[in-house]
Amino acid sequence: MAEYDEPQAGKERRLAAELTRLVHHHRAACAPYRRIVDVVAPGFAAAAAPADVPHLPVSLFKTHELRSVPRDAVFKTLMSSGTTGQAPSRIYLDRASAAAQTRALAATMQHWLGPRRLPMLIADTRSVLQDRTQFTARGAGILGMAPFGRDHLYLLDASEEERGAWLAKHAGEPVIVFGFTFMVWQHLPGGADLRGGILIHSGGWKALADQAVTPEEFRRVVAARTGIERVHNFYGMAEQTGTVYVECEAGALHAPATGDVVVRDPATWAPAPRGEQGVVEVVSTLPESYPGHALLTEDLGRVVAVDDCPCGRLGQAIALDGRVPKAELRGCSDTAAAVLTG
């Protein structure tokens, strides 16, 4: 259990040191980031804990170009899925950052999937991968997960005959099913015997919540359609690709070795006590080519375990409670935006 075997106190000390290095790195390499830090954390020298690290509102990546590498060093640009009428975030990766993301995701996913590459069904279409220099969150997710499987079948591209042939070929084998949550809900066919398989899914809960589909109902319907009992949701974002929080058997989302969460009280922005709802901040040691190492998200959540999850994994685990009302984030976002436009 190497990914989750570090007690929280030691992990916080390790992350604080790595995040302090990233603050100084990005201050030196990204002028907009330096201007913000000089206003919100003047005289910053070192963090004793991840909560001490100056953070940016994640929405800033929708409105400003934040890079810590020259433009000609950008190897790939990731874009968030965004919502209707909103510009997506644009995340600039150099080759080293992209490779670090891949290694981190592999370490996390091998914990849940094991070392064997299993046949993989993808609840999506290959067309989201057409432009290899710019990826949406869906494309980045597929590209990140595809190496953990083999003999991939894209459900939206396959005919009924092709699906039937694939299922017959792998009858009796464990398989991986991967997709964004709303795509799995809409496109995972019924009547397929996938018992012993593993479903990995993420994102898109808003559409299902609008249909009053709870996580419990989602798992029940997946089991009824396919026989799959092992279902793992994960929480992550394009702004911190590679650092993902996977749902355990007890229903908690566990922080990986490369990242952690700080749940903040929206009234004071101080860390909220365990169990109390607040705004989720995510930290990651991976972003080197852009200042995305400490980001205040637009999600509400709670810390539900610290070294004591019933599943046995150490570190922090959280539960998510939905999106933050926009008014509550306005103060934080406006401060950072005003620094960049003032």
Side-chain angles (χ1 to χ4, degrees):
M1 198 180 285
E3 187 71 354
Y4 304 102
D5 65 354
E6 187 175 17
Q8 183 65 16
K11 180 179 179 180
E12 287 198 5
R13 288 193 294 273
R14 174 177 62 80
L15 290 180
E18 294 182 35
L19 293 166
T20 294
R21 180 190 67 76
L22 284 170
V23 171
H24 293 299
H25 161 67
H26 291 302
R27 276 194 81 254
C30 179
Y33 178 76
R34 181 171 61 248
R35 296 210 300 274
I36 293 171
V37 171
D38 288 350
V39 170
V40 302
F44 175 87
D52 300 335
V53 176
H55 56 263
L56 301 182
V58 71
S59 59
L60 215 58
F61 289 86
K62 299 179 191 294
T63 54
H64 293 80
E65 183 172 322
L66 298 171
R67 285 185 287 109
S68 300
V69 294
R71 178 168 286 281
D72 61 6
V74 173
F75 161 65
K76 184 188 298 182
T77 303
L78 299 180
M79 291 184 290
S80 66
S81 54
T83 56
T84 304
Q86 282 192 334
S89 294
R90 299 180 72 85
I91 309 303
Y92 302 97
L93 300 177
D94 61 3
R95 288 184 182 277
S97 292
Q101 291 179 345
T102 300
R103 288 193 299 272
L105 186 64
T108 300
M109 283 303 166
Q110 283 181 3
H111 172 89
W112 300 94
L113 299 175
R116 287 177 56 205
R117 294 172 63 217
L118 303 177
M120 180 178 264
L121 276 176
I122 298 174
D124 218 308
T125 167
R126 283 183 184 274
S127 64
V128 297
L129 304 175
Q130 281 180 342
D131 185 345
R132 291 278 169 158
T133 62
Q134 297 193 12
F135 287 107
T136 62
R138 274 170 56 191
I142 293 170
L143 206 69
M145 288 298 300
F148 302 112
R150 60 181 171 82
D151 197 12
H152 306 88
L153 183 76
Y154 287 78
L155 281 173
L156 273 66
D157 298 333
S159 66
E160 245 181 75
E161 291 73 19
E162 289 169 327
R163 290 183 194 179
W166 191 93
L167 291 169
K169 179 180 177 183
H170 297 294
E173 290 184 65
V175 304
I176 299 171
V177 179
F178 171 71
F180 273 57
T181 307
F182 71 95
M183 297 292 286
V184 171
W185 182 256
Q186 289 180 0
H187 299 291
L188 188 63
D193 185 357
L194 301 175
R195 282 174 291 180
I198 306 169
L199 169 62
I200 302 289
H201 68 101
S202 180
W205 272 107
K206 183 178 183 309
L208 270 64
D210 290 345
Q211 300 175 42
V213 178
T214 64
E216 293 75 20
E217 175 68 1
F218 180 85
R219 286 192 288 271
R220 187 193 67 77
V221 170
V222 166
R225 286 184 190 174
T226 65
I228 292 178
E229 300 284 353
R230 288 184 60 189
V231 177
H232 296 289
N233 183 22
F234 72 84
Y235 174 60
M237 58 193 67
E239 293 83 354
Q240 283 189 357
T241 296
T243 298
V244 296
Y245 300 74
V246 182
E247 182 185 45
C248 73
E249 300 80 356
L253 297 160
H254 283 262
T258 56
D260 212 341
V261 291
V262 180
V263 174
R264 293 192 180 274
D265 181 332
T268 64
W269 298 117
R274 172 177 172 168
E276 289 194 10
Q277 188 184 79
V279 183
V280 174
E281 175 193 337
V282 289
V283 300
S284 170
T285 59
L286 299 180
E288 296 272 354
S289 59
Y290 66 98
H293 53 290
L295 299 176
L296 190 70
T297 73
E298 298 176 352
D299 297 314
L300 290 171
R302 293 164 284 123
V303 173
V304 296
V306 181
D307 296 338
D308 58 357
C309 184
C311 74
R313 296 173 180 86
L314 300 183
Q316 283 197 125
I318 61 169
L320 295 176
D321 296 324
R323 301 287 279 178
V324 180
K326 288 193 179 301
E328 292 191 14
L329 284 176
R330 195 162 297 148
C332 177
S333 300
D334 286 356
T335 299
V339 171
L340 296 184
T341 56

